[in-house]
Amino acid sequence: MKTIKNYAKKNILIYNSLTNKKEKFIPIEYNKIGMYVCGPTIYNYIHLGNCRTFIFFDMLYRYFKHLNFKVKYIRNITDITHLELKLNCVNNQMEIIQKYLLNFYFILKKFNILSPNIEPRSTGHIIEQIINIKKILNKKFAYINKGSIYFDINYYNKIFGNYGNILNNIDLNKEVNLNNKFIEEKKNYYDFAIWKKSNYGMNWESPWGKGKPGWHIGCSTMSNKYLGNYFDIHGGGIDLKFPHHECEITQSNIINNNNYNLAKYWIHTNMLTINNKKMSKSLNNFIIPNDIINGKLNITNYKKINPIIIRLYFLQTHYRKIINISNKSLINTEKNYKILLNILKKIKKIKPKLKTSSNININNIYKIFYLSINDDFNIPLLIYNLFKINNIIDKCINKELNINFNDINKLYNLIKIFLIDILGLKFKKKRKINFKKIINKIYEIRNEMRKKKNYYFSDKLRNILNNFLCIKDNKI
Amino acid sequence: MKTIKNYAKKNILIYNSLTNKKEKFIPIEYNKIGMYVCGPTIYNYIHLGNCRTFIFFDMLYRYFKHLNFKVKYIRNITDITHLELKLNCVNNQMEIIQKYLLNFYFILKKFNILSPNIEPRSTGHIIEQIINIKKILNKKFAYINKGSIYFDINYYNKIFGNYGNILNNIDLNKEVNLNNKFIEEKKNYYDFAIWKKSNYGMNWESPWGKGKPGWHIGCSTMSNKYLGNYFDIHGGGIDLKFPHHECEITQSNIINNNNYNLAKYWIHTNMLTINNKKMSKSLNNFIIPNDIINGKLNITNYKKINPIIIRLYFLQTHYRKIINISNKSLINTEKNYKILLNILKKIKKIKPKLKTSSNININNIYKIFYLSINDDFNIPLLIYNLFKINNIIDKCINKELNINFNDINKLYNLIKIFLIDILGLKFKKKRKINFKKIINKIYEIRNEMRKKKNYYFSDKLRNILNNFLCIKDNKI
């Protein structure tokens, strides 16, 4: 088993957005993984599409830890707001952040998402960001205009020539409409703010007057602070691939004086769409996690969905494929969830025979499971294989296949590792009991007793209901 | 009712630690309250004594909101660690903060503590703290020594003469042992660091080199930023009265160029003791909230305690009295909780009569309840009065007293406001059912049926148990 695990550890394939191909995962430093994932902006509820990203990288984090890598997982919180047009008061901005930050924490707990090692906040790294901005300015890769500072893409491309083509495939010569009030301070359409002048609301003193750091510089700064100039994995939703990640890489190369492109592997999770449209805050078509969990959505016929089923829903589609949310697919996931949930119970039902030789090769199952995940985190394939194991277990129960006592325990542990430790499909400990049905059944029996004039027992049943449930006769 | 509420609003007495007497509460600005409470340091679990403070101020916040004040409640998070002796790496420090911060949020939710309006973090206000340190330095009330900066108490007292006697009663002339390595950089024993040089771990660039702000300057800075130079209430545990709050006031008077002492009313909650000793992190005798909730403490005979009962436990003793935790008093609280919990149910049991004149004066009850809270938040008195109302309700049920339909509803709302909205004794919505007892009862009846050869019904009962509970015969 240890050998298999070590083999698995050395044979992970990751689709790298930097190279657009699957590559063998070799950590920069032996046995260690530094992983940075762009976290939420918290001036609104996170939407269900954001959760897909956080659930996927949570699974990665769990898998790497299971393989005994030493993982440093950093997921930032973007709490510098750019809502100054509506909210000029820092108190209001901070109140909004307070509300949505707590909501974020409680939602992620519902999805059984583990805490990353560190969740740095952009407001907690202003000085570090100012230092990085200074470095860029000193090297002439940025210019100041009206108190704001912009990264100079023309100058960068004169020297390096690759902005727009590092992670993406942007034709910078394609004409873009410059008649936009947001770009009036910029020399070039693709220039981006690394410092924004701001006299109202959230702002800080700086060598350039009052203002706040741009969004991109925050991620470059926090990833560097906690993972160094070059780390293993940088992840995020695919909507961040351009411009956010392209900008992060560009400015990091300048700050760090290298051409490492910040991280060795860049991983992007695909979108969650609704009616085949991207779910996003800007399009205002987003689903709030609590609404789907609490049954407030038309799309699920107002049925409450267990957040762990939503977790499985996201994981069972490959992370690089679009998911278009639908009730039908959610119902299917619920069925899958029940089948998966049942596997552990079924293993316990197998009648163990001490002396039987076993038809089941546990090591082989481990291999198949690891191979599935190792192929660019092919969780759909893993689930397919879990279903195959489910069939094998049925055959063991029906005695079509033999399994000995020892292998039953091994099989149980194996399934537990993949379902609970890695996929994070935490199962409720408490028995779910349809209480109302039981009560109604007892009433039925009681009424039948009364009809048959069996008052001695009918009274006993009534007493149970009265004493323990405080339910008065016929009031159910 | 509205008149009573308005009267209550204008007649709150608060024991002010600044003056050591009860004073009428008159907000600085009409109808608005700014309240700052010193929050947790999060490089360990918060202990149960901390929870007492947070629960008390949560009740204040609820009460002020109930009275329709516009409240801004700020409770900071001290996340600048001073653990550099053990942990020289900022990553380790940030990981510790991450762990305990999440624990803090989840614990406070269990105690039904509302989120303050803003929870500013000291790491999120480094620049603002540096600006305040500069102000103190420029006015010569601090000196630099070996890269650290200390507030100069001798100089301050030459000018103002009141350090040690603003909130406290410290005799500065009393000889103190100066042979302490922590004070070797200081001129005077009572001088305190507003900036500490630090080359390792958590630190920031500053005009004085790498270092971090002192603890006291954080609270002065954050309270000023969100509540202004002078606000209504500053609260905290009594252990913070000296030196923390004395230092906060002293330096704030310099920063703000006034002698307002930062807040109009200073409120301090008393200690939670264990074996009559202060519970504190430094004494290492603290109870972790999760341990008492999950039944892991000798002191509660390993019984799980509902966090809402712990909430009541703290509130039912006046906030200025010491509580020495004991199993006996917790058991008593549980009884009180059940009685209080039951009041609302009992009101519903009163048979309403439409035409009856009422012996109950609802307005009078409101007055009595408000008077209790208004007398320096005398919650023990409020609970005493709730018990008196409980007796009155019994008399209404027994028809010794008359209450009409209208007043029943009013009484229900009144009790709900004080128990749930103000005291925050949230009751579980779900019925708590002793399931095992019911199952055992059904089995008893079934066995008796079998003995009496009443197989028809005994089989029916068995089917219930089998189908709904998946319990096999006799396996309970």
Side-chain angles (χ1 to χ4, degrees), chain A residues 8-118:
Chain A
K9 208 167 158 170
K10 285 169 188 156
N11 288 280
I12 301 170
L13 290 177
I14 294 181
Y15 183 91
N16 191 350
S17 299
L18 263 178
T19 56
N20 286 323
K21 59 188 180 203
K22 281 189 200 173
E23 294 174 8
K24 199 173 199 174
F25 176 65
I26 302 162
I28 297 164
E29 206 176 327
Y30 173 74
N31 207 33
K32 289 183 179 173
I33 297 179
M35 177 163 82
Y36 184 89
V37 172
C38 290
T41 54
I42 47 166
Y43 29 90
N44 203 330
Y45 293 111
I46 56 163
H47 65 67
L48 206 57
N50 301 138
C51 297
R52 181 183 185 185
T53 302
F54 302 140
I55 288 169
F56 171 73
F57 285 103
D58 178 61
M59 186 276 294
L60 242 64
Y61 181 46
R62 290 164 175 269
Y63 185 54
F64 290 144
K65 288 210 295 183
H66 161 76
L67 292 177
N68 299 326
F69 282 109
K70 287 188 179 171
V71 195
K72 291 275 172 204
Y73 175 23
I74 318 288
R75 191 185 60 215
N76 78 300
I77 288 166
T78 297
D79 60 348
I80 296 178
T81 72
H82 297 275
L83 298 173
E84 69 279 9
L85 295 173
K86 288 177 200 164
L87 294 164
N88 282 328
C89 169
V90 65
N91 276 40
N92 291 348
Q93 290 171 331
M94 288 292 280
E95 283 192 44
I96 284 178
I97 283 169
Q98 175 70 11
K99 175 180 170 185
Y100 295 115
L101 181 65
L102 290 181
N103 175 271
F104 171 73
Y105 282 129
F106 294 127
I107 287 295
L108 261 58
K109 203 177 185 194
K110 284 186 187 171
F111 286 123
N112 199 25
I113 292 172
L114 299 176
S115 163
N117 297 82
I118 302 176

Side-chain angles (χ1 to χ4, degrees), chain A residues 116 213 260:
Chain A
Y260 296 166

